[in-house]
Amino acid sequence: MEACRNDFIARSYVMATFELYRRSTIGMCLTETLDEMVQSGTLSPELAIQVLVQFDKSMTEALESQVKTKVTIKGHLHTYRFCDNVWTFILQDAMFKSEDRQENVSQVKIVACDSKLLTQ
Amino acid sequence: MDASNTSDAYIRITNDVISKSRNDLVFTGELDESVLTELHSIWRRKMIQAGVIRGTIETSSPPIQNPNPLHGYAQNKSGIDSDPQFPSTELGLSIKNEGEGLYIPQQDGASDDIKPSAFAPHDDDDESLNEDDDYEEDDINDDEDIPHLIMCQFDYVKKRKNKWECKLKAGVMQINEKNILFSETKGDFTF
């Protein structure tokens, strides 16, 4: 039972980290690049996945240790969901403030993975 | 929230991915340096075209300055590829609301006709159930309508009545055609 649970956590960890930041513009640009190179036969799918995995690590590390910006978010919570250790929120009329600027959006989706799964 | 900080960060991340891939794959002979260089070049070009990093796109003619000034991303890139080579996360199909259990679809045959019970109180105001009565909740996975997206991690999420508070970190915000990175966020939401 314990082994199953640990395996589930390990797999959740894998899924929680490795997929999240790929949806960003930098991640999508990489995915498209790798896709093209695999399609043209320049790069094998196995190597493409290894590069993508490295992206996950590099991106996470940069956001955790190199970025220094702090932000506050306020808004109306329209929808929420917690599933597979991932919170998804849809906010309406949201306001983002940092020390030098502010952004307002009428609707925004937040996808957040459990940071505790990464401190291993 | 300076866009140039995002550009610098993305350039550093790109370089880090390439140099680590070089160590892991090129020096071991699995990957050719020329392929890695091409990868780097195409990736950079796409990011310049998307407007998330500064740079010039080199071609055989004089270098073309990016016509789109650094502003964020030009297109809404939504969704996750369903390409089996790049497995996607299924963020879960079940919608779990507080106070309710998981919805288990009926699998034991067609639904029964419900006859008024002799024991249930009969209310003349009761309306019969119709198809149109189902409330279609907004599809939480429908990215098409929400071009603004934040990807991050959470330290905690708590709520008191309808007041939600969360601590988020290590995030990418793609809002108002900008890419903004944050190390920490405090969120206060009202449900």
Side-chain angles (χ1 to χ4, degrees), chain A residues 63-92:
Chain A
L63 291 173
E64 286 180 345
S65 46
Q66 291 168 29
V67 174
K68 302 295 176 199
T69 311
K70 293 190 185 177
V71 176
T72 58
I73 309 178
K74 289 195 187 337
H76 162 65
L77 182 61
H78 177 262
T79 324
Y80 60 87
R81 181 210 289 173
F82 184 63
C83 185
D84 288 340
N85 295 301
V86 178
W87 274 105
T88 306
F89 302 116
I90 294 181
L91 295 186
Q92 290 178 332

Side-chain angles (χ1 to χ4, degrees), chain A residues 22 34-35 38-39 44-46 48-49 52, chain B residues 82-88:
Chain A
R22 295 182 192 182
L34 294 172
D35 214 5
V38 168
Q39 295 293 338
S44 74
E46 296 78 24
I49 289 176
L52 214 44
Chain B
S82 57
D83 186 333
Q85 292 172 345
F86 300 101
S88 314

Side-chain angles (χ1 to χ4, degrees), chain A residues 3-38:
Chain A
C4 292
R5 186 176 156 276
N6 287 340
D7 183 54
F8 171 73
I9 291 172
R11 277 189 289 112
S12 296
Y13 158 65
V14 169
M15 289 177 69
T17 343
F18 290 174
E19 307 301 319
L20 176 69
Y21 299 117
R22 295 182 192 182
R23 294 170 74 173
S24 65
T25 309
I26 177 175
M28 299 287 283
C29 288
L30 176 59
T31 308
E32 282 175 21
T33 303
L34 294 172
D35 214 5
E36 284 172 17
M37 294 179 74
V38 168

Side-chain angles (χ1 to χ4, degrees), chain A residues 19 21 25 36 81 109 115, chain B residues 46 89 140 155 170 174 190:
Chain A
E19 307 301 319
Y21 299 117
T25 309
E36 284 172 17
R81 181 210 289 173
K109 181 171 180 172
S115 65
Chain B
K46 285 182 186 291
T89 302
I140 206 168
D155 280 342
Q174 292 179 183
T190 308

Side-chain angles (χ1 to χ4, degrees), chain A residues 38-57:
Chain A
V38 168
Q39 295 293 338
S40 68
T42 317
L43 187 66
S44 74
E46 296 78 24
L47 288 176
I49 289 176
Q50 288 190 61
V51 174
L52 214 44
V53 167
Q54 182 56 58
F55 164 77
D56 295 326
K57 294 177 186 167

